[in-house]
Amino acid sequence: MLPPAARIRAITLDLDDTLWPIGPTIVRAEAALAAWMLEHAPRVAERFDIAATQALRAAVASDWPERAHDLTAMRCETIRRMLASSGEDEALMPAAFDVFFAARQQVELYADVQQALERLAARWPLMALTNGNADLERVGVAHWFKGCLRAHDVGVGKPDRRIFAAACVRLDCEPGDVLHVGDDLLLDVHGALAAGMHAAWVRRIGDDRPVTAPPCWHGPDLLRLAEGLGV
């Protein structure tokens, strides 16, 4: 259930899989990177197929657990290792990452998002709160948001309560005055509630996982949430 709209002073929103599907976005970004490697570092393209790339990313995550919250650093290190282990120039890493990162910003918003954000932003200040590395300006949604707080800005990611607390500080709000909206039951819902915030769980059509949720609003999209908040 939602708190009365009058009790909400601000809203934080997750990005990936809440405003757009992240899976197809990453697939396209990795395809763009592979095409660039084929031209500029062909030995990488020969050695690293999808499975090999995923295995290397897992190895980087295992080696750098303290940096798991920084997806940009993890991706850069993966690319560096791909180049080094293939006998290519490691100095190509920044250019290769730029190709991946540019494609990563080419998202396709869910159909409900534009209208819902217009309604919500007309009533409350919105702040993006993400474990990812989307760029609001390049994605094209920055005009609806007062700012963006990423895990690598804070040094921890959701569900750590410190990232939620940092968002409340930026919004100049007490946690009990803020509603967090996201698609992930653990990272978004449980994380926000543990931090003293309200939570709304966006379970899009097709998400029929049998789970037991804590008492909070849940619905299929952001428009339904906006309606529930009376905007």
Side-chain angles (χ1 to χ4, degrees):
M1 92 184 266
L2 288 168
R7 288 184 55 194
I8 299 172
R9 292 185 54 210
I11 295 176
T12 57
L13 289 109
D14 174 58
L15 298 176
D16 296 330
D17 285 331
T18 297
L19 302 191
W20 55 75
I22 189 57
T25 303
I26 296 300
V27 168
R28 290 192 297 269
E30 290 182 337
L33 175 61
W36 187 91
M37 289 292 193
L38 185 62
E39 179 178 357
H40 299 278
R43 284 172 288 188
V44 170
E46 292 171 3
R47 180 170 180 178
F48 286 94
D49 58 11
I50 293 175
T53 301
Q54 290 176 340
L56 181 57
R57 288 188 62 199
V60 171
S62 178
D63 292 344
W64 284 10
E66 73 282 0
R67 302 195 71 177
H69 61 276
D70 191 340
L71 297 188
T72 293
M74 301 290 279
R75 179 68 64 172
C76 287
E77 176 62 10
T78 300
I79 293 172
R80 187 197 68 77
R81 293 190 190 186
M82 291 169 71
L83 291 163
S85 64
S86 302
E88 297 284 6
D89 187 356
E90 293 179 46
L92 292 172
M93 185 274 288
F97 175 75
D98 285 347
V99 169
F100 172 87
F101 194 65
R104 187 257 184 272
Q105 310 308 319
Q106 297 171 17
V107 304
E108 295 181 7
L109 299 178
Y110 289 116
D112 58 287
V113 167
Q114 180 173 344
Q115 185 179 355
L117 290 182
E118 287 176 352
R119 292 187 189 182
L120 295 171
R123 176 74 181 273
W124 295 284
L126 308 182
M127 175 167 288
L129 186 60
T130 177
N131 285 1
N133 55 2
D135 183 315
L136 297 188
E137 289 286 352
R138 295 171 75 171
V139 168
V141 298
H143 56 289
W144 285 306
F145 288 87
K146 299 298 183 182
C148 180
L149 192 62
R150 303 174 183 85
H152 70 79
D153 298 324
V154 183
V156 294
K158 298 176 293 183
D160 193 299
R161 68 181 60 197
R162 287 173 290 178
I163 190 170
F164 293 101
C168 292
V169 169
R170 287 202 181 184
L171 289 164
D172 193 25
C173 291
E174 294 297 322
D177 298 329
V178 181
L179 172 68
H180 177 69
V181 182
D183 72 288
D184 193 287
L185 181 59
L186 171 62
L187 301 183
D188 293 303
V189 176
H190 284 285
L193 292 175
M197 299 165 65
H198 304 284
W201 185 21
V202 179
R203 297 192 71 186
R204 293 193 174 276
I205 293 174
D207 182 0
D208 55 359
R209 294 168 294 175
V211 294
T212 301
C216 72
W217 179 92
H218 60 89
D221 58 44
L222 292 178
L223 267 180
R224 196 71 59 85
L225 172 65
E227 293 167 358
L229 290 169
V231 297

